[in-house]
């Protein structure tokens, strides 16, 4: 077996096992750290799949941004940050969730295995071929996809204002809520 | 690298199933949010896999948009969690019934 293939499978295992940890762990801070491992594995898989720019973006945005935000959220909302209260998880049995997610997984696998994936060639637009992807991505974002790009930038601005408004601790707001 | 498309998409489907189970079975708002992040990662993995398979950078552009929207979702979601915790300390998802009738 080729070395790259072995690395790919190792990264796949390093992504899926922490994902099981995210699902099973009872301790909310440990869930966040399992998520860190899983996101790092996905970043490695991106790099193995010739998406070096996306791998770095994954590290910057998910690990550097979202994960830190999640940890802040945990610290600010849980008086005792280490323990999930028993009430949180035990109120309902996970049987229905297990059934629905297994059925979804089965349906997805059925579609995946039932489709022939030999569509390569003819559809290629800008060849990737192991070269850095920052240049083709930048070109695509500022030519063909400039309208979605601008819409996303406006969305981020709206989200910035909205999050600041929602999470702010206004004096008049507190007085009216009290 | 000799990886078949089935392997990449199967891995993505497995991650998606795990995230979905977490979302449906957990009763804590932050844990549900984390499960959504796992599902978004699974979708991104399949997009990058298609991009690699078809040698076309457009899949990566789409994955980049998904990452941007996920960041926006994280900001708003955690702002809502903090606002909720300020107004109803210790409330679980089962207690949020104001919009129900």
């Amino acid at each position: 077996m080729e070395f790259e293939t072995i690395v790919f499978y190792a990264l796949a295992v390093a992504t899926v096992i922490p994902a099981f940890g995210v699902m099973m762990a009872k301790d909310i801070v440990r869930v966040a750290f399992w998520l860190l491992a899983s996101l790092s594995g996905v970043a490695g898989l991106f790099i193995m799949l010739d998406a070096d720019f996306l791998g770095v973006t994954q590290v910057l945005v998910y690990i550097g941004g979202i994960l830190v935000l999640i940890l802040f959220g945990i610290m600010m909302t849980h008086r005792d940050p280490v323990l999930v209260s028993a009430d949180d998880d035990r109120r309902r049995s996970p049987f229905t969730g297990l059934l629905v997610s297994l059925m979804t997984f089965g349906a997805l696998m059925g579609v995946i295995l039932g489709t022939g994936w030999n569509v390569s060639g003819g559809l290629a637009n800008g060849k990737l071929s192991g070269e850095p992807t920052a240049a083709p991505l930048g070109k695509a974002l500022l030519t063909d996809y400039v309208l979605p790009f601008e819409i996303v930038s406006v969305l981020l601005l709206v989200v910035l204002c909205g999050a600041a408004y929602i999470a702010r601790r206004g004096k008049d707001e507190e007085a009216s809520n009290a | 690298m000799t990886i078949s498309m089935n392997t990449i998409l199967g891995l993505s489907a497995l991650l998606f199933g795990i995230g979905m189970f977490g979302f449906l079975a957990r009763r804590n708002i932050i844990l549900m949010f984390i499960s959504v992040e796992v599902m978004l990662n699974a979708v991104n993995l399949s997009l990058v896999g298609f991009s690699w398979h078809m040698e076309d950078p457009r899949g990566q552009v789409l994955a980049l948009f998904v990452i941007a929207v996920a960041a926006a979702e994280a900001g708003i979601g955690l702002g809502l969690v903090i606002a909720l915790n300020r107004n109803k300390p210790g409330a679980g998802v089962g207690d949020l019934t104001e919009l129900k009738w």
Side-chain angles (χ1 to χ4, degrees):
Chain A
M1 205 155 54
E2 232 178 316
F3 177 67
E4 282 184 339
T5 314
I6 297 169
V7 173
F8 185 89
Y9 279 110
L11 281 170
V13 172
T15 305
V16 169
I17 288 176
F20 273 105
V22 167
M23 189 173 67
M24 302 309 292
K26 286 283 161 231
D27 180 324
I28 191 163
V29 176
R30 285 200 185 154
V31 170
F33 278 92
W34 279 120
L35 183 69
L36 165 68
S38 185
L39 294 177
S40 312
V42 172
L45 286 174
F46 281 177
I47 290 170
M48 291 306 291
L49 292 172
D50 285 347
D52 51 344
F53 183 74
L54 265 180
V56 176
T57 309
Q58 169 93 359
V59 173
L60 282 177
V61 173
Y62 269 101
I63 299 174
I66 293 180
L67 197 71
V68 172
L69 217 56
I70 287 172
L71 281 171
F72 264 111
I74 293 170
M75 300 301 170
M76 290 181 80
T77 55
H78 285 70
R79 199 48 70 75
D80 180 10
V82 184
L83 291 173
V84 178
S85 70
D87 206 30
D88 275 345
D89 264 358
R90 298 288 183 193
R91 194 173 295 175
R92 204 161 69 184
S93 90
F95 177 73
T96 320
L98 189 64
L99 189 71
V100 171
S101 53
L102 276 179
M103 278 164 62
T104 308
F105 177 67
L108 284 173
M109 285 311 285
V111 171
I112 289 165
L113 295 177
T115 309
W117 295 111
N118 48 357
V119 286
S120 194
L123 289 165
N125 193 16
K127 288 274 184 186
L128 296 175
S129 68
E131 284 175 14
T133 53
L137 279 187
K139 206 174 279 175
L141 277 177
L142 288 180
T143 53
D144 293 344
Y145 298 94
V146 69
L147 181 64
F149 182 71
E150 290 300 327
I151 291 174
V152 164
S153 64
V154 172
L155 173 76
L156 285 175
L157 181 67
V158 171
V159 162
L160 189 68
C161 299
Y165 175 73
I166 289 171
R168 147 188 94 110
R169 188 191 295 268
K171 273 182 189 159
D172 47 328
E173 205 178 41
E174 290 227 319
S176 65
N177 281 334
Chain B
M1 190 165 69
T2 52
I3 301 287
S4 73
M5 202 55 200
N6 284 345
T7 314
I8 299 169
L9 291 181
L11 181 63
S12 169
L14 183 60
L15 271 181
F16 192 85
I18 292 172
M20 185 174 244
F21 172 71
F23 183 77
L24 292 173
R26 295 286 206 183
R27 298 285 93 198
N28 178 300
I29 227 166
I30 293 181
L31 293 179
M32 290 168 80
F33 175 77
I34 288 176
S35 305
V36 171
E37 297 298 327
V38 173
M39 285 160 79
L40 282 168
N41 261 285
V43 172
N44 270 342
L45 185 61
S46 76
L47 284 174
V48 172
F50 279 122
S51 167
W52 174 76
H53 181 68
M54 299 174 81
E55 297 190 329
D56 186 334
R58 283 178 289 183
Q60 295 184 23
V61 173
L62 206 52
L64 213 52
F65 283 131
V66 172
I67 289 180
V69 174
E73 177 234 342
I76 285 288
L78 288 165
L80 281 173
V81 168
I82 288 171
L84 169 73
N85 192 63
R86 185 168 346 113
N87 291 326
K88 296 176 113 186
V93 276
D95 304 325
L96 308 175
T97 53
E98 271 95 30
L99 293 178
K100 230 175 176 180
W101 58 283

